[in-house]
């Protein structure tokens, strides 16, 4: 009977792993949307809570439906905080989940070693849990206090840290991405609270199961004001939030602002070169000068494509869309530039999820906005060159060139207004609100965990 009980645990653990993998796969394949983010968060919390308490009961005999319900209810604080912060972001009808998924895929493809190491650690934790559980299970009698506490600690530790080496790099990489639009970055930041509170709760529960440290002796800044919760937990949780969520968010905001300014200034420079060429009083030789300018544009464009592997993959996906819309049309021989780009892999890692994610993010990604702008710009430049080549009257050619120069001067002024607006853009207040929320909920989660453990475990 003792062995049979452990075999039932192994089966339950296997079912839990399959269910978790399928739930995660659905989110990472098709991306989260506002309409299903709440359901995904609730299913994740429910699966985690039910699985954790099922394992504890099967391994130690300790079971409490009331405790499980309390822990599930405590985890809802993260959902509530997420909903409040979500309200500050305005309209929720966006494809932020798909755009976050594309940024996460990009990080994984650019940092394969980090992802492999994270996966290996998660596999070791996944396989190590039943091995350590077996040692505890067969060493102590069922329902013994020692087995109950050790099993609770082991299960909470697994729930807290097992997936971090795999998920944290993706979270950090997504938040710090320079190619993520700020609306998506802010929503992805807020979405992390759905998992942050359960993480804090499990960590606090684990802490309060440790053998009776003198937790009540801490004081505030060495004064006589006692603290009713251990300093170590707020420090850990706020450090976690700052290191892996808020700081990457602010870095990403700064990198994204710099990237957009760089691309806008690049476009401004190209317009300036074109205006200077068109304003030069060279008559029919405008066409030849434009030809030289187009050749220089082509070289710069090839260098731009070669600088980013994900950009090349995205252009390739756009060229193979069934809708017929392409990001890189054959202006300035752009197709040949893409095909000859030195970093284009023989077979790009396209999946159904990555293609869908790309289509949801393309119009918001500054790189592809730049590609669209360049396609239109290069097409117009080629048409101007052909118009000037076919002009037999030098005066008419000069007039045509000056008209186009005036047109592009207006476009350049519009770009300069966009640059000034981008330079004045400030970080959204959601980062400060998130920090305030985390500082507020940390002692609440800690005290909730303390009371739960004292009532159900140490009673």
């Amino acid at each position: 009977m003792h062995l049979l009980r452990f075999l039932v645990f192994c089966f339950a653990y296997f079912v839990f792993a399959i269910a978790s993998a399928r739930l995660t796969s659905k989110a990472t394949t098709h991306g989260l949307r506002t309409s299903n983010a709440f359901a995904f968060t609730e299913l994740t919390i429910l699966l985690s809570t039910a699985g954790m308490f099922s394992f504890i009961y099967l391994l130690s005999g300790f079971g409490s439906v009331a405790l499980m319900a309390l822990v599930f209810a405590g985890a809802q604080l993260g959902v509530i905080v997420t909903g409040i912060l979500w309200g500050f972001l305005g309209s929720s009808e966006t494809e932020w989940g798909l755009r976050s998924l594309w940024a996460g895929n990009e990080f994984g493809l650019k940092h394969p070693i980090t992802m492999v190491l994270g996966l290996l650690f998660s596999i070791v934790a996944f396989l190590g849990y039943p091995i350590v559980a077996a040692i505890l299970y067969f060493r102590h009698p069922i329902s013994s206090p020692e087995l109950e506490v050790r099993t609770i600690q082991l299960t909470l530790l697994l729930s807290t840290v097992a997936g971090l080496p795999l998920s944290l790099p993706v979270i950090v990489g997504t938040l710090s991405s320079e190619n993520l639009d700020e609306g998506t970055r802010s929503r992805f930041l807020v979405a992390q609270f759905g998992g942050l509170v359960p993480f804090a709760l499990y960590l606090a529960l684990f802490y309060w199961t440790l053998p009776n440290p003198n937790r009540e002796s801490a004081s505030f800044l060495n004064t006589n004001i006692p603290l009713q919760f251990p300093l170590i937990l707020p420090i850990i949780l706020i450090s976690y939030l700052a290191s892996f969520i808020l700081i990457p968010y602010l870095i990403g905001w700064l990198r994204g602002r710099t990237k957009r300014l760089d691309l806008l200034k690049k476009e401004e420079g190209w317009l300036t070169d074109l205006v200077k060429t068109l304003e030069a009083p060279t008559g029919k030789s405008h066409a030849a000068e434009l030809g030289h300018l187009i050749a220089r544009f082509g070289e710069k464009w090839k260098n731009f494509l070669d600088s980013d592997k994900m950009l090349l993959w995205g252009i390739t996906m756009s060229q193979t869309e069934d809708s017929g819309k392409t990001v890189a049309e054959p202006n300035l021989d752009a197709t040949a530039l893409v095909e000859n780009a030195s970093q284009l892999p023989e077979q790009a890692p396209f999946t159904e999820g990555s293609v869908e994610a790309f289509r949801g993010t393309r119009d918001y990604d500054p790189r592809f906005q730049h590609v669209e702008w360049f396609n239109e710009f290069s097409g117009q430049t080629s048409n101007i060159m052909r118009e000037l080549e076919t002009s037999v009257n030098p005066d008419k050619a000069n007039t045509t060139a000056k008209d186009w120069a005036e047109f592009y001067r207006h476009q350049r002024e519009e770009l300069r207004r966009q640059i000034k607006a981008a330079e004045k853009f400030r970080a959204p207040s959601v980062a400060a609100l998130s920090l305030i929320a985390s500082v507020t909920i940390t002692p609440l989660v800690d005290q909730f965990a303390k009371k739960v453990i004292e009532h159900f475990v140490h009673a």
Side-chain angles (χ1 to χ4, degrees):
M1 192 67 182
H2 201 53
L3 178 60
L4 179 61
R5 187 185 184 106
F6 186 78
L7 292 176
V8 172
F9 156 73
C10 291
F11 176 75
Y13 187 58
F14 176 77
V15 172
F16 170 81
I18 295 297
S20 299
R22 292 192 64 177
L23 186 62
T24 303
S25 176
K26 185 175 180 61
T28 55
T29 299
H30 300 291
L32 290 178
R33 294 176 171 84
T34 303
S35 57
N36 62 13
F38 174 78
F40 175 80
T41 301
E42 289 297 315
L43 283 175
T44 301
I45 295 174
L46 179 61
L47 182 62
S48 174
T49 306
M52 179 174 65
F53 281 96
S54 297
F55 302 153
I56 292 172
Y57 173 74
L58 291 171
L59 290 170
S60 68
F62 175 84
S64 172
V65 175
L67 175 59
M68 183 175 70
L70 278 174
V71 172
F72 179 80
Q76 299 305 306
L77 181 59
V79 179
I80 295 172
V81 172
T82 299
I84 293 173
L85 292 175
W86 210 267
F88 286 96
L89 297 177
S91 174
S92 61
E93 298 302 318
T94 67
E95 294 287 357
W96 67 271
L98 288 177
R99 298 200 289 277
S100 302
L101 177 59
W102 173 257
N105 285 343
E106 178 171 358
F107 177 86
L109 290 169
K110 289 183 174 179
H111 303 86
I113 296 178
T114 301
M115 301 305 298
V116 169
L117 290 176
L119 179 61
L120 288 176
F121 184 92
S122 296
I123 292 174
V124 169
F126 172 75
L127 298 177
Y129 174 71
I131 294 174
V132 177
I135 295 173
L136 293 174
Y137 180 79
F138 289 106
R139 181 175 291 179
H140 303 282
I142 287 291
S143 298
S144 66
E146 181 74 11
L147 179 60
E148 288 180 357
V149 173
R150 293 289 177 263
T151 302
I152 291 172
Q153 290 173 343
L154 176 64
T155 306
L156 286 171
L157 193 62
L158 174 78
S159 302
T160 303
V161 303
L164 292 183
L166 188 59
S167 61
L168 281 184
V170 177
I171 292 174
V172 171
T174 300
L175 286 171
S176 61
S177 172
E178 64 182 1
N179 299 306
L180 203 62
D181 64 283
E182 296 313 315
T184 298
R185 196 189 316 278
S186 296
R187 293 189 183 282
F188 188 75
L189 168 70
V190 169
Q192 301 315 303
F193 272 91
L196 179 64
V197 171
F199 168 80
L201 179 59
Y202 295 158
L203 185 61
L205 288 170
F206 173 79
Y207 179 87
W208 288 107
T209 61
L210 295 176
N212 299 319
N214 187 15
R215 300 183 178 98
E216 303 296 339
S217 62
S219 63
F220 180 69
L221 298 179
N222 296 319
T223 66
N224 293 323
I225 303 175
L227 293 177
Q228 297 303 311
F229 55 93
L231 269 178
I232 186 66
L233 279 180
I235 291 174
I236 290 175
L237 294 175
I238 294 175
S239 298
Y240 171 87
L241 177 75
S243 301
F244 299 110
I245 298 179
L246 289 181
I247 292 178
Y249 171 84
L250 294 174
I251 291 174
W253 169 80
L254 184 60
R255 293 180 68 215
R257 177 176 176 270
T258 302
K259 179 67 172 285
R260 284 168 173 78
L261 281 171
D262 286 346
L263 293 178
L264 287 173
K265 290 178 180 178
K266 188 189 298 289
E267 294 169 6
E268 181 194 14
W270 288 355
L271 286 176
T272 298
D273 290 344
L274 180 58
V275 169
K276 288 180 179 178
T277 301
L278 292 172
E279 286 180 335
T282 55
K284 199 174 181 182
S285 64
H286 273 121
E289 292 298 325
L290 276 179
H292 295 312
L293 185 62
I294 287 173
R296 293 200 299 272
F297 286 164
E299 184 62 30
K300 291 179 180 179
W301 185 243
K302 183 179 182 300
N303 293 336
F304 175 70
L305 294 180
D306 277 339
S307 67
D308 194 329
K309 185 184 297 184
M310 291 298 291
L311 179 62
L312 294 169
W313 284 333
I315 291 176
T316 304
M317 277 191 280
S318 295
Q319 291 175 327
T320 57
E321 282 190 51
D322 294 335
S323 65
K325 179 184 177 181
T326 62
V327 173
E329 298 177 0
N331 299 322
L332 293 187
D333 201 18
T335 302
L337 290 175
V338 172
E339 292 173 351
N340 295 330
S342 58
Q343 294 186 25
L344 186 63
E346 293 182 3
Q347 185 175 5
F350 299 154
T351 63
E352 178 185 352
S354 62
V355 172
E356 183 180 1
F358 167 72
R359 292 173 180 174
T361 192
R362 178 179 58 197
D363 294 339
Y364 297 87
D365 191 311
R367 294 167 297 181
F368 295 102
Q369 291 174 348
H370 185 61
V371 169
E372 292 281 5
W373 181 91
F374 181 80
N375 279 332
E376 182 178 354
F377 172 74
S378 62
Q380 289 177 344
T381 305
S382 298
N383 290 336
I384 294 171
M385 185 179 69
R386 285 192 290 269
E387 183 178 354
L388 294 175
E389 282 178 333
T390 57
S391 178
V392 295
N393 187 330
D395 292 336
K396 183 178 179 182
N398 278 330
T399 301
T400 301
K402 288 179 180 180
D403 289 342
W404 279 112
E406 181 66 21
F407 172 79
Y408 282 113
R409 270 198 299 271
H410 288 302
Q411 284 203 354
R412 185 177 60 184
E413 290 304 314
E414 176 59 30
L415 267 179
R416 287 174 176 172
R417 283 191 288 270
Q418 293 180 29
I419 290 172
K420 288 182 179 179
E423 289 173 339
K424 295 179 180 178
F425 183 72
R426 298 291 182 264
S429 59
V430 68
L433 293 173
S434 299
L435 180 60
I436 294 171
S438 66
V439 172
T440 303
I441 66 177
T442 294
L444 297 178
V445 169
D446 174 72
Q447 288 299 293
F448 176 81
K450 176 186 175 184
K451 299 300 182 184
V452 165
I453 294 298
E454 286 179 346
H455 181 77
F456 288 95
V457 179
H458 292 322

